[in-house]
Amino acid sequence: MSDERLYMGLDSSTQGLKATLVDTSLAVVCEDAINFDDALPEFGTEGGVHRHPDGLTVTSPPLMWVGALDILFSRMTAKHWPLDRVAAISGSGQQHGSVWWKAGARESLAGLRETKPMRELLADSFALGDSPVWMDSSTTRQCEALELALGGAQAVADLTGSRAYERFTGNQIAKIWQTQPDIYEATERIALVSSFVASLLAGDYAPIDHSDAAGMNLMDFRGRAWAPKALDATAPALEGKLGPLVAAHTTIGRIHTYYVRRFGFDATCRVIAFSGDNPNSLAGLRLAAPGDVAISMGTSDTLFASMRKPSPSGNEGHIFPNPVDPNAYMGMICRKNGSLTRETIRDRLAAGSWDRFNALLEQAPVGNSGCMGIYLDEPEITPPILKVGNYRYNASGVGVGDFEPGTEIRALLEGQFLSMRLHAGQVGIEPRRVIATGGASVNPAILQIVANVFGSDVYVTERADSASLGAACRALHGATCADQGRFVPFADIMEAATPFTKAAAAQSAHHATYTSMLARMDQAEKALAAG
Ligand code: 5FX
């Protein structure tokens, strides 16, 4: 039996919890995942969330996330994962969601006893039973107030890396403070989903890392410290409730004895700071050179790129500190209407079959003879369009009610990626190489559209779940930095990893067709955003 050290990444995403175990050459040794709706039906979530009647508020119960960890670790022991060889764990969480620990929760965390499931031990630890998550768009009023207090959208972006966004945690905190002050007062610590899961492992409140903290509109993203002006404009005495910030490669503690006794972990197993799913994906996708862009096609579609010279925009996009390089940043844009919208249209027009969906797509020519569409099941983040609906335009730009199925599917896919290219360009991202990941990255027809829209070859990794893999890579990175007592470049760690595979080559004529459609997409989006 090998005694090689292993590294674990956990990903607490919107819809489920995943674990990936890698060895020192970053080969995946074991992985497993559970879906919240299926594994924990008693919480009544759909897609991992509760959608509220106002159409804007979206929440998830943090106790469900705790229950998921119980179930996943129990499954690991049942499947004889070599947990005693895990030298470090790190993790990933859906960004922006907040967990509201009630006074006294710290003692409950420290005193976890292995005789009971964690879910029972922490049942009374939350001041807020349902946490706002990234899909929530109910805080427009708080966003306007923050921008007013700080001198406008560009000023907020210059300070925090993004203009005020509804889902960003600071604006969610302001809303709770204004509408449920008793909950705010009863809260001892506000965690992000990432730092929350890290707390469960370390048995103590875990610090928030710089990269995920940039999704709060509360941190000076260059100085990597809480921004007093933003805190003051959000809620009183907030810094004490947020706790310290750390770089993402920091060891925040050793695993709590609960996991040693109940699941067989080694007591020296390090817990490395957790971060957001997008920063983890950047690590998992090894975006090293400027122009290396990743497109993650999950519940939301996000595009991100490593960058040295950030230029935050008061209109769109985000800049976060880079989770694996303290001197670099990551640029990101996020479209909320991603996979779920593709699935809605697949179910409506192709009876749930991707093969049929792809066959229908091929019935319409590249560029769709000028037809275009914007399909919004949810209020959109980029560009900010709060109303939902399907908007179809013929070649003359006139709104129409219906398309043939093939035209509809092509309008959806081309529209999604044209919009992404448009907005990536506006924050200065110039793709040289695109790495695709997430559920839709296994669909060759979608990858070909991506290649042609961006005019870049598209590569895929052997794995679609880059966030939990990225977290496992970061566990190895954090442990190596700690063992060597210095910052070790992430590239040194990743040298052992297998190269990416080219999955689609850009076709210049088709790229030109798409380039000629950008201005019309821009116009259509602006008209919708303006209401
Ligand atoms: C990023 O800003 C987002 O809101 C989403 O990509 C979430 O992180 C999804 F979990």
Side-chain angles (χ1 to χ4, degrees), residues 14 94-96 134 167 277-278 300 302 318 332 334:
T14 315
Q94 52 169 306
Q95 294 198 260
H96 319 295
W134 68 275
R167 70 192 190 288
D277 50 359
N278 296 298
S300 62
T302 44
H318 313 294
M332 181 175 103
C334 177

Side-chain angles (χ1 to χ4, degrees), residues 106-135:
R106 188 170 210 162
E107 288 68 40
S108 304
L109 277 171
L112 289 173
R113 288 284 166 267
E114 64 284 1
T115 46
K116 288 191 176 161
M118 240 179 311
R119 181 174 161 184
E120 243 174 83
L121 299 168
L122 296 176
D124 193 31
S125 296
F126 304 103
L128 194 60
D130 237 357
S131 287
V133 295
W134 68 275
M135 293 166 87

Side-chain angles (χ1 to χ4, degrees), residues 83-419:
L83 298 179
D84 56 330
R85 285 164 46 203
V86 178
I89 300 191
S90 188
S92 159
Q94 52 169 306
Q95 294 198 260
H96 319 295
S98 49
V99 178
W100 298 64
W101 290 111
K102 184 155 107 179
R106 188 170 210 162
E107 288 68 40
S108 304
L109 277 171
L112 289 173
R113 288 284 166 267
E114 64 284 1
T115 46
K116 288 191 176 161
M118 240 179 311
R119 181 174 161 184
E120 243 174 83
L121 299 168
L122 296 176
D124 193 31
S125 296
F126 304 103
L128 194 60
D130 237 357
S131 287
V133 295
W134 68 275
M135 293 166 87
D136 187 289
S137 45
S138 66
T139 64
T140 303
R141 211 161 59 79
Q142 288 75 19
C143 290
E144 285 167 3
L146 182 70
E147 293 189 348
L148 194 66
L150 267 58
Q154 189 61 49
V156 176
D158 287 339
L159 181 64
T160 72
S162 304
R163 67 160 170 79
Y165 279 91
E166 277 79 359
R167 70 192 190 288
F168 274 42
T169 326
N171 308 307
Q172 297 289 340
I173 293 172
K175 177 183 159 193
I176 303 278
W177 154 244
Q178 289 159 22
T179 58
Q180 296 172 281
D182 47 329
I183 295 217
Y184 186 80
E185 295 303 343
T187 299
E188 183 171 82
R189 179 64 73 96
I190 302 172
L192 294 181
V193 178
S194 56
S195 66
F196 166 68
V197 182
S199 301
L200 300 176
L201 293 168
D204 194 3
Y205 291 155
I208 294 175
D209 82 292
H210 296 146
S211 304
D212 213 11
M216 302 174 83
N217 279 145
L218 295 176
M219 185 185 72
D220 167 357
F221 84 100
R222 291 176 201 272
R224 297 169 196 223
W226 296 121
K229 274 203 303 194
L231 297 183
D232 292 347
T234 299
L238 182 52
E239 189 163 356
K241 292 189 200 283
L242 295 174
L245 289 164
V246 293
H249 63 273
T250 308
T251 298
I252 60 160
R254 304 280 174 174
I255 200 159
H256 189 274
T257 51
Y258 182 86
Y259 301 85
V260 177
R261 296 191 182 137
R262 183 149 179 238
F263 304 113
F265 278 89
D266 189 87
T268 61
C269 174
R270 291 178 187 277
V271 182
I272 307 299
F274 280 37
S275 189
D277 50 359
N278 296 298
N280 274 291
S281 290
L282 177 125
L285 295 171
R286 301 172 246 158
L287 301 191
D292 274 0
V293 165
I295 298 182
S296 160
M297 295 175 274
T299 312
S300 62
D301 283 343
T302 44
L303 176 149
F304 44 83
S306 181
M307 40 186 7
R308 291 263 160 205
K309 293 200 176 92
S311 56
S313 155
N315 290 321
E316 61 204 335
H318 313 294
I319 308 287
F320 302 146
N322 187 308
V324 290
D325 181 348
N327 297 315
Y329 297 88
M330 67 179 276
M332 181 175 103
I333 60 166
C334 177
R335 295 190 79 259
K336 209 197 272 183
N337 291 278
S339 282
L340 292 181
T341 311
R342 288 187 286 272
E343 283 165 23
T344 307
I345 293 196
R346 177 204 61 188
D347 294 347
R348 177 161 60 80
L349 298 177
S353 152
W354 285 119
D355 287 343
R356 173 114 193 86
F357 179 92
N358 289 356
L360 287 167
L361 169 73
E362 296 311 330
Q363 290 178 3
V366 172
N368 224 358
S369 311
C371 295
M372 277 186 356
I374 299 174
Y375 296 82
L376 308 174
D377 284 345
E378 301 273 347
E380 186 46 72
I381 298 166
T382 313
I385 302 175
L386 290 181
K387 62 184 176 201
V388 298
N390 295 333
Y391 304 93
R392 303 174 182 88
Y393 308 90
N394 67 16
S396 324
V398 176
V400 293
D402 274 314
F403 280 150
E404 289 297 310
T407 309
E408 178 92 325
I409 289 174
R410 193 167 276 285
L412 163 75
L413 296 175
E414 292 183 345
Q416 287 183 323
F417 297 108
L418 278 170
S419 170

Side-chain angles (χ1 to χ4, degrees), residues 47-71:
V49 300
H50 295 144
R51 288 166 202 277
H52 294 241
D54 65 0
L56 299 174
T57 306
V58 185
T59 57
S60 293
L63 200 57
M64 177 179 79
W65 299 329
V66 178
L69 203 61
D70 268 323
I71 295 173

Side-chain angles (χ1 to χ4, degrees), residues 22 25-28 278-295 304-307 322-325 330 432-437 459-463 466-467 469-471 473-474 489-501:
V22 301
S25 63
L26 298 163
V28 174
N278 296 298
N280 274 291
S281 290
L282 177 125
L285 295 171
R286 301 172 246 158
L287 301 191
D292 274 0
V293 165
I295 298 182
F304 44 83
S306 181
M307 40 186 7
N322 187 308
V324 290
D325 181 348
M330 67 179 276
R432 191 179 57 85
R433 189 168 80 121
V434 173
I435 296 149
T437 178
Y459 293 77
V460 288
T461 63
E462 69 284 13
R463 325 201 61 78
S466 56
L469 178 63
C473 298
R474 290 200 316 99
F490 187 65
D492 294 1
I493 306 288
M494 300 306 286
E495 260 171 18
T498 323
F500 299 131
T501 316

